[in-house]
């Protein structure tokens, strides 16, 4: 069972991840600290750019707290990015406005791949650990803090492509032509992510989530060879208890609905779901193996509070009675969302979910 030593005032999120009883369904939003909030844009302006914001623990703490000041969310998530690891490996991350992330030195030659080294999180990613401990102090045990990292395959997509890609042609060419090279990158990434997440846990993260944003771009066979085994490697290496408390983990493969049973079998506590899948059907498939997190279509938040309430009700109804559901969007909140609509979603989850927990 879930053990808790710290005096967390609201542990609903952690309990739901461990499928223990709760009074209502907890809720948070992927990318809850982001550009849909005017105060976020203001702080990012003060930092200069997104990466400087991530690298400044004071400002990263400030933006982590912003959505919690507006909405009664049940968890906070570290403000950072999944690409901090390849940046720490020396690939030179930068964000050019409107174009998303880019690397100055993407992996193009075999020797660059052979030279890859696992960063020491407490040295090369010190700013992340400092942010984690500062956020924990600022949270003052109100709600738990989620740490996170990217999956080995999703990180490899950016490291090989050099930035965002619509077809993943370079990484898929490597996958089919030089699987040995891709496996080498994935093994380094898996070991780097494990030590990074464990360092976040030691710095104060109370749950961790792995974002496999691009696993769903793979074929069935390729997913089971190039993404899932490395997720499993990480999950088996995670610290499960820290400071007297259980540290649950969540694995989110966007587009992974087809492979739900295999994902649920790697030893994770919870599986994140995107919106195409029906959460009730997902629950029937995984049984009591894992908790589920999701899965409202983020586009629902473009509508109005009445429509949002209806759609929230459908997700809650589909999951049905009992614990093991963490409400979330099926992917990150869009920068074009009105904050009032996010508020309507959070309120609807809290109100409408109570009867499912009686
Ligand atoms: O959820 C949270 O509030 C925590 C913060 C968080 C960010 N990125 C902040 C961010 C998290 C968990 C991430 C994860 C992340 N980063 C993923 C996996 C999740 C997913 O969306 O699938 C990926 C693929 C990245 C890489 C990344 N970072 C991209 C592709 C972009 C550009 C996105 C865009 O819409 O332009 C980023 C930038 C980024 N990361 C922003 C934020 C708030 C926006 C940057 C800005 O302020 O300009």
């Amino acid at each position: 069972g879930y053990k808790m030593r710290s005096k967390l005032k609201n542990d609903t999120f952690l309990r739901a991840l461990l499928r223990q009883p709760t009074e209502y369904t907890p809720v948070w939003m992927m990318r809850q600290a982001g550009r849909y909030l005017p105060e976020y844009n203001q702080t990012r302006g003060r930092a200069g750019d997104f990466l400087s914001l991530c690298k400044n623990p004071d400002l990263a703490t400030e933006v982590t707290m912003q959505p919690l000041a507006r909405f009664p969310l049940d968890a906070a998530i570290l403000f950072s990015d999944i690409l901090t690891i390849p940046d720490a490996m020396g690939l030179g991350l930068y964000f050019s406005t409107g174009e998303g992330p880019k690397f100055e030195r993407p992996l193009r030659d075999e020797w660059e791949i052979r030279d890859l080294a696992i960063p020491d999180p407490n040295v090369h990613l010190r700013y992340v650990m400092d942010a984690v401990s500062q956020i924990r102090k600022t949270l003052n045990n109100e709600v738990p803090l989620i740490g996170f990292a990217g999956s080995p395959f999703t990180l490899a997509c950016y490291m090989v492509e050099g930035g965002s890609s619509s077809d993943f042609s370079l990484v898929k060419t490597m996958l089919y032509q030089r699987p040995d090279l891709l496996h080498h990158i994935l093994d380094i990434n898996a070991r780097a992510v494990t030590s990074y997440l464990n360092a976040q846990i030691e710095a104060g993260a109370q749950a961790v989530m792995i974002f496999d944003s691009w696993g769903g771009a793979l074929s069935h066979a390729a997913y089971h060879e190039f993404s899932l085994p490395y997720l499993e490697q990480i999950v088996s290496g995670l610290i499960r208890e820290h400071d007297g408390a259980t540290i649950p983990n969540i694995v989110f493969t966007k587009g992974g609905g087809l492979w739900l049973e295999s994902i649920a079998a790697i030893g994770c506590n919870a599986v994140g779901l995107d919106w195409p899948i029906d959460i009730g059907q997902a629950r029937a498939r995984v049984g009591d193996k894992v908790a589920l997190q999701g899965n409202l279509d983020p586009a629902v938040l473009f509508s109005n509070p009445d429509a949002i309430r209806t759609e929230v009700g459908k997700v809650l109804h589909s999951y049905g009675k009992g614990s093991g559901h963490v409400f979330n969007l099926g992917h990150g909140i869009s920068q074009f969302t009105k904050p009032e609509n996010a508020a309507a979603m959070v309120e609807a989850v809290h109100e409408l979910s109570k009867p499912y927990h009686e």
Side-chain angles (χ1 to χ4, degrees), residues 31-33 35 40 44 50 80-81 148 158 211 213 331:
R31 246 183 238 182
Q32 60 193 21
R35 289 166 292 184
Y40 168 85
R44 192 185 61 170
F50 169 72
S80 189
D81 199 81
F148 71 91
Y158 289 96
F211 287 86
S213 307
H331 200 204

